[in-house]
Amino acid sequence: MATACFITERAAATLDLYNGVMSSDFVFIPKAEVIAREAGARLREFYATGVTTEYKGAADLVTVADRTVEKLVLERLSAAFPEHGIYGEEGTRERLDGEYRWYVDPLDGTTNFAHSVPHFCVSLGLEQRPAGLAEGEDGALVAGVIYDPMRDEMYVTERGKGAWLNGKRIHASETKRLEESLIATGFPSQKRHKSPNIHFYHEFTLRSHGVRRLGSAALDLAYVAAGRYEAFWEFNLNPWDTAAGILLVEEAGGKVTDFSGQKVKLDSKEVLATNGKIQAELVGLFEEMFAGRDFGTIVNPKDYVRGMS
């Protein structure tokens, strides 16, 4: 009961702040934010007590927290938006023929969570799908919530209404050059040996202030929106990883595309989010690397030791 009261009071205080600075109220966020806070509170409880880890793949973890919190979110979203569909990471597929569809990641950053690293979040992204839209086509992203329960950071957005962090409007960075940028990436939990991303990681590290790999794509996107990172890229993400974050970055003034600079899809094999200022530079580097330009080889340990002798 105490937790529920805290959630209600905290959400109400935040919404009062939104209402004080916005010309019109959010449509979906008031209810979605409360749901995300409740889900985050459950994650904090699991985090404090510890959970048993299972494997969905060779290195793809899942915990009872993922499944329990997805069930909670399903119940709360169904009550708040009974006609909306829900597409969850842990298998939820409800009312997918409706006009609206929530993409739900109940715990983005499961590997961090399982190792007691306090960097993970709840991500809820809402897509509007007009009648007649084919299943393989994207509708319009209209709302997003990303909640970091360990830092109590609530990122929210609705189309045309900006991007917000704990009631304050956020904007993408104004940095104009990659060499002055801090950027982020991620690596696939499955088939990591088949991903070429280590080569991009190497080259972009040499051309920037650094590359971070913190293990939550949704929070990486939120950090681009908040101006903490200038860019984020990753291969083979899923709609529940990106739906909320894509809209958040766009509403913060950033840009989200594939690696060639073309329109990104929810099931895209490539996601590149930037502040917009370094977009062309990064797209150009991707083009040159995919074309096979030789930027130099990565020193292997054997050669390093030989060179030191």
Side-chain angles (χ1 to χ4, degrees):
M1 181 63 70
T3 299
C5 290
F6 169 78
I7 293 168
T8 302
E9 291 171 2
R10 182 69 176 85
T14 302
L15 290 172
D16 284 344
L17 180 56
Y18 291 140
N19 292 336
V21 298
M22 293 185 64
S23 60
S24 60
D25 294 337
F26 285 126
V27 176
F28 306 103
I29 291 305
K31 293 179 180 179
E33 177 179 342
V34 172
I35 294 168
R37 285 194 184 281
E38 184 177 1
R42 290 291 288 127
L43 289 178
R44 282 196 301 269
E45 292 170 1
F46 278 118
Y47 183 83
T49 58
V51 295
T52 300
T53 300
E54 303 171 28
Y55 286 84
K56 293 190 289 186
D60 195 5
L61 305 183
V62 64
T63 70
V64 65
D66 298 78
R67 297 190 176 110
T68 301
V69 173
E70 180 159 306
K71 181 180 178 182
L72 180 144
V73 172
L74 168 62
E75 293 172 353
R76 300 295 188 265
L77 284 176
S78 295
F81 307 102
E83 296 181 356
H84 289 195
I86 302 174
Y87 196 108
E89 178 179 11
E90 303 309 325
T92 300
R93 304 289 186 271
E94 300 280 349
R95 300 179 295 278
L96 298 186
D97 57 348
E99 179 183 2
Y100 291 96
R101 179 184 300 179
W102 289 94
Y103 291 97
V104 175
D105 194 336
L107 173 49
D108 186 54
T110 299
T111 301
N112 286 343
F113 182 88
H115 288 273
S116 299
V117 176
H119 187 80
F120 51 85
C121 68
V122 181
S123 181
L124 311 176
L126 181 61
E127 177 192 24
Q128 184 176 18
R129 301 178 58 82
L133 187 68
E135 180 58 31
E137 296 183 56
D138 290 347
L141 294 173
V142 294
V145 174
I146 296 173
Y147 181 51
D148 178 345
M150 303 306 285
R151 296 178 183 83
D152 192 24
E153 291 191 336
M154 177 65 72
Y155 302 84
V156 303
T157 186
E158 284 192 11
R159 182 163 294 280
K161 298 179 182 178
W164 304 79
L165 168 55
N166 289 349
K168 296 181 180 180
R169 194 154 190 166
I170 55 177
H171 301 278
S173 161
E174 292 294 324
T175 300
K176 296 178 174 61
R177 296 190 298 177
L178 177 60
E179 65 180 352
E180 298 175 351
S181 299
L182 182 64
I183 59 181
T185 190
F187 291 87
S189 57
Q190 300 184 58
K191 300 180 179 178
R192 286 174 289 192
H193 60 290
K194 294 184 179 181
S195 173
N197 203 30
I198 189 64
H199 300 285
F200 294 95
Y201 182 96
H202 173 69
E203 296 300 339
F204 292 169
T205 296
L206 296 177
R207 290 163 173 75
S208 67
H209 278 175
V211 177
R212 300 293 180 257
R213 197 273 192 177
L214 297 185
S216 169
L219 284 176
D220 287 336
L221 288 164
Y223 282 17
V224 174
R228 296 173 178 176
Y229 294 149
E230 275 66 47
F232 162 73
W233 86 92
E234 191 165 346
F235 290 83
N236 298 318
L237 291 172
N238 297 294
W240 52 78
D241 298 312
T242 60
I246 287 173
L247 183 60
L248 194 72
V249 171
E250 291 176 344
E251 286 293 317
K255 191 170 184 178
V256 187
T257 68
D258 65 13
F259 297 160
S260 67
Q262 302 302 305
K263 181 177 176 60
V264 72
K265 290 179 62 66
L266 283 173
D267 63 350
S268 178
K269 301 303 181 185
E270 304 171 354
V271 173
L272 172 62
T274 75
N275 62 357
K277 311 296 184 183
I278 65 169
Q279 173 82 12
E281 188 176 0
L282 280 172
V283 168
L285 281 171
F286 274 113
E287 182 179 2
E288 292 187 20
M289 290 187 68
F290 279 124
R293 178 179 171 186
D294 184 11
F295 288 104
T297 58
I298 301 174
V299 176
N300 64 53
K302 185 177 180 180
D303 290 340
Y304 175 78
V305 171
R306 183 182 298 116
M308 294 293 289
S309 60

